[in-house]
Amino acid sequence: MKVVLSGGGTAGHINPALALAEVLSSQGHEVLFAGTPQGVESRLVPAAGVSFKAFEASGFNRRHPLTLFKGMWKIWRSSKLAQAWLRDEGVDVVVCFGGYVCIPVGYAAEKLGIPVVVHEQNSVMGMANRELAKKAAAVALTYEVAGAPLADKSKLHVTGNPVRSSVFESTREEGRALLGIPNEAKMLLVFGGSLGARHINTALCKLKERLLAIPDLYVVHITGPKELDTVTAELALTQEEQKRWQVMGYQNRMGETMAAADLIVSRAGATSLAEISARCIPAILVPFPFATDDHQTTNARAYVDGGAAWMVADDNVEGEDFANKLLTLIDDEEARASMTKAARAFETGDAAGKLAELVTASVATKPMR
């Protein structure tokens, strides 16, 4: 079976696709990827050893109508090019993960009678996925609520959000060795997504003295590249303090880093939540309030309601409520154990396998062309 995966714009679309690629490849299927030439996928996908094909696609600004025409023209042209490519490659199924590039690739597959499977990572379906889901052979969801707008509920399947094997395979010992943290110590991991989070960073800086007063606590603080200099200046760590508080702009070995953590403070993006869930790590979630339709809050609420995390609103994270929650979770081993147990119920570890089964089934049941 030959499978094309498509997605673009953010790592949140790409990482689940690469997790699926790992499973499909291990089953003997050939996997190709369709993305944009300038997006993060153009770097991440070839680095993962997956064949990459680029198509132009872009969004539009409602305040500038000209961008709408440019965006539509790119979609039309890329759809024509994608049709020829899909036909020449003899593709059996296309799996779309979101981002504008999915629209021309998905449209091209529909024209050729190739089944399309849509995977939605968030609790609110994105524009591209929402459009393609109307004619898709199957729609895979991380959160059941994301399927609410679709009229045909028979095509909906809750699979969870796939996570790459490196997240599962890394051990606590490997992570602690990488970071130079003693095995018996507690480790707090803080990150705000690929771009960082100003309020989370500020809140942690304010808590510096209280956190360092906990003798066995080590902090790994991933600020986001643009925040690194600001946070480093705000913390003003002494050489001795730097032994227990590591500050970095970006970490490309998140599998080992998460494996080393005892608790996490994070945004509630789909990929971050899936990785936290996969490792069953106790967490305090601070949703990004300006995400489309506030979907990070909805993402977080499902996880919090399941007992796997606590949540603090972004505009409260610099206040005492967040400080109390964080200090309590650091101190309360029983609360952390309860969150870990609750996280196991989400079965994120099976998500890539479930999605692979859905993709295979969509090919088995497709009409003859």
Side-chain angles (χ1 to χ4, degrees):
M1 182 172 74
K2 185 174 284 190
V3 185
V4 164
L5 311 181
S6 185
T10 70
H13 295 316
I14 312 310
N15 287 328
L18 293 178
L20 176 62
E22 290 177 352
V23 174
L24 291 172
S25 296
S26 72
Q27 295 173 349
H29 304 300
E30 184 178 352
V31 180
L32 311 174
F33 197 105
T36 59
Q38 71 281 358
V40 65
E41 64 273 18
S42 65
R43 174 176 55 84
L44 295 179
V45 173
V50 177
S51 179
F52 181 79
K53 178 71 172 180
F55 296 98
E56 291 285 352
S58 64
F60 60 91
N61 186 335
R62 288 185 175 88
R63 296 179 181 178
H64 301 283
L66 185 60
T67 64
L68 173 61
F69 293 108
K70 287 183 177 179
M72 291 177 66
W73 183 84
K74 284 184 180 180
I75 286 174
W76 178 83
R77 183 172 183 274
S78 291
S79 182
K80 294 294 184 183
L81 294 172
Q83 278 188 57
W85 178 65
L86 293 173
R87 186 187 299 113
D88 291 346
E89 289 288 350
V91 171
D92 294 293
V93 59
V94 171
V95 189
C96 295
F97 286 82
Y100 288 108
V101 71
C102 289
I103 297 176
V105 177
Y107 281 173
E110 290 173 1
K111 289 282 188 181
L112 296 171
I114 299 170
V116 173
V117 175
V118 168
H119 182 275
E120 178 54 53
Q121 301 88 54
N122 287 298
S123 53
V124 178
M125 194 168 291
M127 186 274 286
N129 281 351
R130 194 164 59 244
E131 175 64 23
L132 294 172
K134 297 173 185 176
K135 296 183 179 180
V139 179
L141 306 172
T142 302
Y143 304 96
E144 186 173 6
V145 67
L150 266 66
D152 184 0
K153 306 299 183 189
S154 66
K155 67 173 67 174
L156 301 179
H157 305 266
V158 179
T159 62
N161 195 13
V163 173
R164 298 187 69 179
S165 60
S166 60
V167 175
F168 294 105
E169 293 171 354
S170 300
T171 67
R172 178 182 174 88
E173 290 72 25
E174 289 170 344
R176 293 293 173 112
L178 171 69
L179 298 165
I181 295 175
N183 286 330
E184 66 277 6
K186 291 178 190 172
M187 178 187 141
L188 166 64
L189 173 60
V190 181
F191 62 96
S194 59
L195 299 178
R198 176 89 289 262
H199 285 179
I200 292 177
N201 287 335
T202 299
L204 263 290
C205 290
K206 288 182 177 180
L207 290 171
K208 170 189 165 182
E209 302 303 330
R210 294 164 76 177
L211 291 173
L212 288 175
I214 303 171
D216 63 339
L217 181 69
Y218 284 67
V219 179
V220 175
H221 189 168
I222 304 172
T223 66
K226 294 180 180 179
E227 286 275 296
L228 179 59
D229 291 343
T230 300
V231 173
T232 300
E234 287 180 3
L235 284 171
L237 296 166
T238 66
Q239 194 168 6
E240 189 63 27
E241 290 170 340
Q242 289 174 27
K243 295 177 181 178
R244 291 203 293 126
W245 193 306
Q246 297 184 39
V247 183
M248 57 190 78
Y250 180 76
Q251 172 61 280
N252 61 3
R253 296 177 66 176
M254 283 299 289
E256 295 104 310
T257 302
M258 294 185 77
D262 293 296
L263 68 158
I264 283 178
V265 173
S266 171
R267 287 299 198 197
T271 296
S272 295
L273 265 182
E275 292 177 348
I276 292 168
S277 174
R279 298 291 323 191
C280 301
I281 305 170
I284 296 177
L285 303 173
V286 185
F288 177 59
F290 303 110
T292 304
D293 296 320
D294 197 20
H295 69 252
Q296 285 205 9
T297 298
T298 310
N299 291 353
R301 189 170 290 119
Y303 204 60
V304 171
D305 289 348
W310 293 338
M311 179 166 56
V312 176
D314 185 75
D315 57 2
N316 292 331
V317 76
E318 295 181 38
E320 199 59 23
D321 178 50
F322 170 76
N324 289 336
K325 279 185 167 66
L326 179 56
L327 294 169
T328 296
L329 195 58
I330 292 169
D331 183 60
D332 193 338
E333 186 175 347
E334 188 174 322
R336 297 198 307 274
S338 176
M339 286 183 180
T340 295
K341 182 179 179 181
R344 292 195 181 102
F346 284 80
E347 299 182 341
T348 306
D350 296 332
K354 289 178 181 177
L355 183 55
E357 289 177 6
L358 189 62
V359 172
T360 302
S362 72
V363 175
T365 58
K366 73 177 180 180
M368 295 295 291
R369 301 206 298 273

mmCIF file of all heavy atoms in Angstrom, residues 120 122-127 129-131 133-135 139 141 143-156 293 298:
data_model
loop_
_atom_site.group_PDB
_atom_site.id
_atom_site.type_symbol
_atom_site.label_atom_id
_atom_site.label_comp_id
_atom_site.label_asym_id
_atom_site.label_seq_id
_atom_site.Cartn_x
_atom_site.Cartn_y
_atom_site.Cartn_z
ATOM 1 N N GLU A 120 -7.881 14.910 13.079
ATOM 2 C CA GLU A 120 -7.942 16.186 13.787
ATOM 3 C C GLU A 120 -7.327 16.036 15.173
ATOM 4 O O GLU A 120 -7.770 15.220 15.978
ATOM 5 C CB GLU A 120 -9.395 16.668 13.913
ATOM 6 C CG GLU A 120 -9.536 17.972 14.688
ATOM 7 C CD GLU A 120 -8.674 19.104 14.133
ATOM 8 O OE1 GLU A 120 -8.757 19.391 12.919
ATOM 9 O OE2 GLU A 120 -7.906 19.704 14.922
ATOM 10 N N ASN A 122 -6.953 18.552 17.528
ATOM 11 C CA ASN A 122 -7.511 19.420 18.563
ATOM 12 C C ASN A 122 -8.989 19.144 18.831
ATOM 13 O O ASN A 122 -9.638 18.379 18.118
ATOM 14 C CB ASN A 122 -7.316 20.884 18.168
ATOM 15 C CG ASN A 122 -5.876 21.336 18.309
ATOM 16 O OD1 ASN A 122 -5.329 21.328 19.405
ATOM 17 N ND2 ASN A 122 -5.247 21.692 17.201
ATOM 18 N N SER A 123 -9.502 19.808 19.835
ATOM 19 C CA SER A 123 -10.900 19.640 20.217
ATOM 20 C C SER A 123 -11.834 20.455 19.338
ATOM 21 O O SER A 123 -13.048 20.273 19.388
ATOM 22 C CB SER A 123 -11.084 20.055 21.680
ATOM 23 O OG SER A 123 -10.571 21.362 21.886
ATOM 24 N N VAL A 124 -11.286 21.376 18.543
ATOM 25 C CA VAL A 124 -12.048 22.151 17.569
ATOM 26 C C VAL A 124 -11.417 21.921 16.204
ATOM 27 O O VAL A 124 -10.220 22.151 16.023
ATOM 28 C CB VAL A 124 -12.042 23.653 17.912
ATOM 29 C CG1 VAL A 124 -12.789 24.445 16.853
ATOM 30 C CG2 VAL A 124 -12.657 23.899 19.283
ATOM 31 N N MET A 125 -12.187 21.459 15.246
ATOM 32 C CA MET A 125 -11.638 21.090 13.947
ATOM 33 C C MET A 125 -11.194 22.319 13.162
ATOM 34 O O MET A 125 -11.914 23.314 13.079
ATOM 35 C CB MET A 125 -12.677 20.299 13.155
ATOM 36 C CG MET A 125 -12.098 19.587 11.942
ATOM 37 S SD MET A 125 -13.241 18.385 11.197
ATOM 38 C CE MET A 125 -13.285 17.125 12.465
ATOM 39 N N GLY A 126 -9.996 22.237 12.597
ATOM 40 C CA GLY A 126 -9.464 23.323 11.795
ATOM 41 C C GLY A 126 -10.182 23.454 10.460
ATOM 42 O O GLY A 126 -10.891 22.540 10.016
ATOM 43 N N MET A 127 -9.965 24.593 9.792
ATOM 44 C CA MET A 127 -10.693 24.895 8.566
ATOM 45 C C MET A 127 -10.447 23.861 7.470
ATOM 46 O O MET A 127 -11.382 23.376 6.831
ATOM 47 C CB MET A 127 -10.306 26.299 8.081
ATOM 48 C CG MET A 127 -11.122 26.774 6.873
ATOM 49 S SD MET A 127 -10.460 26.260 5.273
ATOM 50 C CE MET A 127 -9.045 27.338 5.143
ATOM 51 N N ASN A 129 -9.338 20.697 7.657
ATOM 52 C CA ASN A 129 -9.914 19.406 8.016
ATOM 53 C C ASN A 129 -11.437 19.428 7.955
ATOM 54 O O ASN A 129 -12.075 18.450 7.538
ATOM 55 C CB ASN A 129 -9.460 18.994 9.416
ATOM 56 C CG ASN A 129 -8.061 18.417 9.424
ATOM 57 O OD1 ASN A 129 -7.489 18.167 8.374
ATOM 58 N ND2 ASN A 129 -7.516 18.200 10.597
ATOM 59 N N ARG A 130 -12.024 20.536 8.380
ATOM 60 C CA ARG A 130 -13.483 20.655 8.363
ATOM 61 C C ARG A 130 -14.017 20.558 6.928
ATOM 62 O O ARG A 130 -15.042 19.928 6.677
ATOM 63 C CB ARG A 130 -13.889 21.978 9.006
ATOM 64 C CG ARG A 130 -15.363 22.080 9.346
ATOM 65 C CD ARG A 130 -15.622 23.226 10.316
ATOM 66 N NE ARG A 130 -15.196 24.512 9.790
ATOM 67 C CZ ARG A 130 -14.230 25.258 10.307
ATOM 68 N NH1 ARG A 130 -13.577 24.833 11.387
ATOM 69 N NH2 ARG A 130 -13.913 26.420 9.782
ATOM 70 N N GLU A 131 -13.309 21.169 5.991
ATOM 71 C CA GLU A 131 -13.714 21.120 4.589
ATOM 72 C C GLU A 131 -13.552 19.717 4.018
ATOM 73 O O GLU A 131 -14.468 19.182 3.374
ATOM 74 C CB GLU A 131 -12.875 22.120 3.787
ATOM 75 C CG GLU A 131 -13.092 22.094 2.297
ATOM 76 C CD GLU A 131 -14.504 22.492 1.870
ATOM 77 O OE1 GLU A 131 -15.196 23.197 2.634
ATOM 78 O OE2 GLU A 131 -14.910 22.082 0.767
ATOM 79 N N ALA A 133 -13.342 16.884 5.594
ATOM 80 C CA ALA A 133 -14.097 15.861 6.327
ATOM 81 C C ALA A 133 -15.453 15.572 5.693
ATOM 82 O O ALA A 133 -16.005 14.479 5.859
ATOM 83 C CB ALA A 133 -14.290 16.293 7.771
ATOM 84 N N LYS A 134 -15.990 16.531 4.954
ATOM 85 C CA LYS A 134 -17.322 16.368 4.350
ATOM 86 C C LYS A 134 -17.373 15.161 3.411
ATOM 87 O O LYS A 134 -18.373 14.445 3.356
ATOM 88 C CB LYS A 134 -17.709 17.635 3.582
ATOM 89 C CG LYS A 134 -17.844 18.879 4.448
ATOM 90 C CD LYS A 134 -18.062 20.119 3.579
ATOM 91 C CE LYS A 134 -18.083 21.393 4.410
ATOM 92 N NZ LYS A 134 -18.203 22.616 3.561
ATOM 93 N N LYS A 135 -16.278 14.936 2.655
ATOM 94 C CA LYS A 135 -16.253 13.831 1.692
ATOM 95 C C LYS A 135 -15.255 12.738 2.068
ATOM 96 O O LYS A 135 -15.052 11.794 1.304
ATOM 97 C CB LYS A 135 -15.916 14.366 0.296
ATOM 98 C CG LYS A 135 -16.965 15.322 -0.267
ATOM 99 C CD LYS A 135 -16.592 15.759 -1.674
ATOM 100 C CE LYS A 135 -17.644 16.705 -2.252
ATOM 101 N NZ LYS A 135 -17.280 17.144 -3.632
ATOM 102 N N VAL A 139 -12.936 9.982 9.437
ATOM 103 C CA VAL A 139 -12.418 11.133 10.179
ATOM 104 C C VAL A 139 -11.979 10.645 11.555
ATOM 105 O O VAL A 139 -12.792 10.161 12.348
ATOM 106 C CB VAL A 139 -13.483 12.231 10.324
ATOM 107 C CG1 VAL A 139 -12.927 13.408 11.123
ATOM 108 C CG2 VAL A 139 -13.957 12.704 8.958
ATOM 109 N N LEU A 141 -10.387 11.345 15.278
ATOM 110 C CA LEU A 141 -10.422 12.433 16.246
ATOM 111 C C LEU A 141 -9.581 12.114 17.468
ATOM 112 O O LEU A 141 -9.454 10.951 17.863
ATOM 113 C CB LEU A 141 -11.866 12.688 16.709
ATOM 114 C CG LEU A 141 -12.918 12.941 15.628
ATOM 115 C CD1 LEU A 141 -14.299 12.981 16.253
ATOM 116 C CD2 LEU A 141 -12.620 14.233 14.883
ATOM 117 N N TYR A 143 -10.369 14.172 20.205
ATOM 118 C CA TYR A 143 -11.468 14.470 21.135
ATOM 119 C C TYR A 143 -12.793 14.294 20.401
ATOM 120 O O TYR A 143 -12.994 14.860 19.321
ATOM 121 C CB TYR A 143 -11.356 15.908 21.656
ATOM 122 C CG TYR A 143 -10.046 16.225 22.321
ATOM 123 C CD1 TYR A 143 -9.021 16.842 21.599
ATOM 124 C CD2 TYR A 143 -9.828 15.915 23.653
ATOM 125 C CE1 TYR A 143 -7.807 17.144 22.211
ATOM 126 C CE2 TYR A 143 -8.616 16.209 24.268
ATOM 127 C CZ TYR A 143 -7.609 16.820 23.541
ATOM 128 O OH TYR A 143 -6.414 17.115 24.141
ATOM 129 N N GLU A 144 -13.692 13.551 20.983
ATOM 130 C CA GLU A 144 -14.976 13.275 20.339
ATOM 131 C C GLU A 144 -15.729 14.554 19.994
ATOM 132 O O GLU A 144 -16.404 14.641 18.965
ATOM 133 C CB GLU A 144 -15.830 12.397 21.250
ATOM 134 C CG GLU A 144 -17.120 11.922 20.616
ATOM 135 C CD GLU A 144 -17.865 10.921 21.485
ATOM 136 O OE1 GLU A 144 -17.423 10.683 22.635
ATOM 137 O OE2 GLU A 144 -18.877 10.379 21.012
ATOM 138 N N VAL A 145 -15.598 15.572 20.834
ATOM 139 C CA VAL A 145 -16.337 16.820 20.637
ATOM 140 C C VAL A 145 -15.981 17.498 19.314
ATOM 141 O O VAL A 145 -16.786 18.240 18.751
ATOM 142 C CB VAL A 145 -16.077 17.779 21.822
ATOM 143 C CG1 VAL A 145 -14.619 18.250 21.841
ATOM 144 C CG2 VAL A 145 -17.005 18.984 21.776
ATOM 145 N N ALA A 146 -14.787 17.236 18.785
ATOM 146 C CA ALA A 146 -14.375 17.867 17.534
ATOM 147 C C ALA A 146 -15.243 17.449 16.359
ATOM 148 O O ALA A 146 -15.329 18.151 15.352
ATOM 149 C CB ALA A 146 -12.912 17.553 17.234
ATOM 150 N N GLY A 147 -15.894 16.303 16.472
ATOM 151 C CA GLY A 147 -16.727 15.813 15.383
ATOM 152 C C GLY A 147 -18.142 16.357 15.390
ATOM 153 O O GLY A 147 -18.936 16.035 14.492
ATOM 154 N N ALA A 148 -18.472 17.203 16.349
ATOM 155 C CA ALA A 148 -19.839 17.707 16.483
ATOM 156 C C ALA A 148 -20.396 18.372 15.224
ATOM 157 O O ALA A 148 -21.570 18.173 14.883
ATOM 158 C CB ALA A 148 -19.925 18.656 17.677
ATOM 159 N N PRO A 149 -19.609 19.175 14.489
ATOM 160 C CA PRO A 149 -20.170 19.862 13.318
ATOM 161 C C PRO A 149 -20.492 18.943 12.142
ATOM 162 O O PRO A 149 -21.208 19.341 11.226
ATOM 163 C CB PRO A 149 -19.056 20.852 12.927
ATOM 164 C CG PRO A 149 -18.177 20.969 14.120
ATOM 165 C CD PRO A 149 -18.242 19.624 14.765
ATOM 166 N N LEU A 150 -19.951 17.707 12.119
ATOM 167 C CA LEU A 150 -20.148 16.836 10.969
ATOM 168 C C LEU A 150 -21.519 16.164 11.015
ATOM 169 O O LEU A 150 -21.913 15.614 12.050
ATOM 170 C CB LEU A 150 -19.060 15.752 10.922
ATOM 171 C CG LEU A 150 -17.840 16.088 10.054
ATOM 172 C CD1 LEU A 150 -17.067 17.254 10.661
ATOM 173 C CD2 LEU A 150 -16.943 14.883 9.909
ATOM 174 N N ALA A 151 -22.215 16.191 9.885
ATOM 175 C CA ALA A 151 -23.555 15.600 9.828
ATOM 176 C C ALA A 151 -23.503 14.076 9.868
ATOM 177 O O ALA A 151 -24.327 13.435 10.526
ATOM 178 C CB ALA A 151 -24.263 16.065 8.557
ATOM 179 N N ASP A 152 -22.524 13.492 9.165
ATOM 180 C CA ASP A 152 -22.418 12.038 9.098
ATOM 181 C C ASP A 152 -21.522 11.522 10.219
ATOM 182 O O ASP A 152 -20.302 11.507 10.100
ATOM 183 C CB ASP A 152 -21.859 11.629 7.739
ATOM 184 C CG ASP A 152 -21.813 10.111 7.556
ATOM 185 O OD1 ASP A 152 -22.218 9.387 8.484
ATOM 186 O OD2 ASP A 152 -21.366 9.669 6.472
ATOM 187 N N LYS A 153 -22.141 11.088 11.317
ATOM 188 C CA LYS A 153 -21.370 10.626 12.474
ATOM 189 C C LYS A 153 -20.775 9.230 12.256
ATOM 190 O O LYS A 153 -19.888 8.815 13.006
ATOM 191 C CB LYS A 153 -22.250 10.594 13.731
ATOM 192 C CG LYS A 153 -22.975 11.902 14.051
ATOM 193 C CD LYS A 153 -22.028 13.050 14.292
ATOM 194 C CE LYS A 153 -22.796 14.322 14.685
ATOM 195 N NZ LYS A 153 -21.942 15.512 14.731
ATOM 196 N N SER A 154 -21.240 8.517 11.242
ATOM 197 C CA SER A 154 -20.772 7.148 11.038
ATOM 198 C C SER A 154 -19.303 7.092 10.645
ATOM 199 O O SER A 154 -18.652 6.059 10.817
ATOM 200 C CB SER A 154 -21.606 6.456 9.960
ATOM 201 O OG SER A 154 -21.398 7.062 8.688
ATOM 202 N N LYS A 155 -18.784 8.187 10.101
ATOM 203 C CA LYS A 155 -17.387 8.189 9.669
ATOM 204 C C LYS A 155 -16.422 8.637 10.768
ATOM 205 O O LYS A 155 -15.214 8.658 10.566
ATOM 206 C CB LYS A 155 -17.210 9.077 8.428
ATOM 207 C CG LYS A 155 -17.442 10.557 8.671
ATOM 208 C CD LYS A 155 -17.084 11.393 7.447
ATOM 209 C CE LYS A 155 -18.027 11.131 6.295
ATOM 210 N NZ LYS A 155 -17.767 12.048 5.141
ATOM 211 N N LEU A 156 -16.938 8.994 11.940
ATOM 212 C CA LEU A 156 -16.103 9.487 13.034
ATOM 213 C C LEU A 156 -15.506 8.337 13.839
ATOM 214 O O LEU A 156 -16.194 7.369 14.174
ATOM 215 C CB LEU A 156 -16.919 10.386 13.959
ATOM 216 C CG LEU A 156 -17.553 11.628 13.332
ATOM 217 C CD1 LEU A 156 -18.353 12.393 14.372
ATOM 218 C CD2 LEU A 156 -16.498 12.530 12.709
ATOM 219 N N ASP A 293 -10.779 29.568 18.272
ATOM 220 C CA ASP A 293 -11.940 29.086 19.045
ATOM 221 C C ASP A 293 -11.553 28.629 20.452
ATOM 222 O O ASP A 293 -12.258 27.808 21.044
ATOM 223 C CB ASP A 293 -12.638 27.938 18.305
ATOM 224 C CG ASP A 293 -13.222 28.370 16.974
ATOM 225 O OD1 ASP A 293 -13.776 29.486 16.914
ATOM 226 O OD2 ASP A 293 -13.116 27.604 16.001
ATOM 227 N N THR A 298 -10.329 23.969 25.597
ATOM 228 C CA THR A 298 -11.164 22.774 25.429
ATOM 229 C C THR A 298 -10.313 21.518 25.478
ATOM 230 O O THR A 298 -10.706 20.513 26.083
ATOM 231 C CB THR A 298 -11.939 22.838 24.102
ATOM 232 O OG1 THR A 298 -12.600 24.099 23.997
ATOM 233 C CG2 THR A 298 -12.966 21.737 24.018
#
